[in-house]
Amino acid sequence: VARGGAARAPAAGDTLAGGAFEVLSRTPVDAYNVVAVELLHVRTGARWLHCEADDANNVFNVAFRTTPTDDTGVAHVLEHTALC
C-alpha cells in the first residue's frame, strides 16, 4: 500500500488489488518472526492468511473446509483421496 510515495504495510480496513481484497487483521507472531495478515476476497468471501516474513523461501498452502455431516469418516477419506 503506497501513501505519499512511500510503501507501508497494509493495515486492517485497507483494500488491496484494486479493492478485490480487504485486510481484516494484521497480527505479529513473535515466536515465528512473522506477521499474520488475514485477508478477505470481497467477491467470493474466500479468506487468505498471508504470513509476512523476511525470508527468501516462498511456500503456499490451499485448504478447503470439509465439514463432516456424520461420523462415518467419509469426509476425511475424501480429503486424502482428493488432495493426494
Side-chain angles (χ1 to χ4, degrees), residues 28-35 51-55:
V29 183
D30 295 332
Y32 294 103
N33 197 29
V34 300
V35 176
C51 293
E52 185 178 293
D54 186 20
D55 191 327

Side-chain angles (χ1 to χ4, degrees), residues 10-82:
D14 286 349
T15 58
L16 304 173
F21 290 92
E22 178 185 349
V23 179
L24 299 178
S25 66
R26 182 179 173 79
T27 308
V29 183
D30 295 332
Y32 294 103
N33 197 29
V34 300
V35 176
V37 181
E38 184 182 5
L39 302 155
L40 174 71
H41 187 255
V42 176
R43 186 173 57 85
T44 64
R47 290 182 179 250
W48 174 359
L49 179 62
H50 176 78
C51 293
E52 185 178 293
D54 186 20
D55 191 327
N57 291 311
N58 293 306
V59 299
F60 70 92
N61 177 46
V62 176
F64 300 95
R65 183 175 295 171
T66 53
T67 307
T69 57
D70 56 35
D71 63 355
T72 62
V74 171
H76 187 73
V77 172
L78 289 173
E79 290 168 3
H80 286 278
T81 303

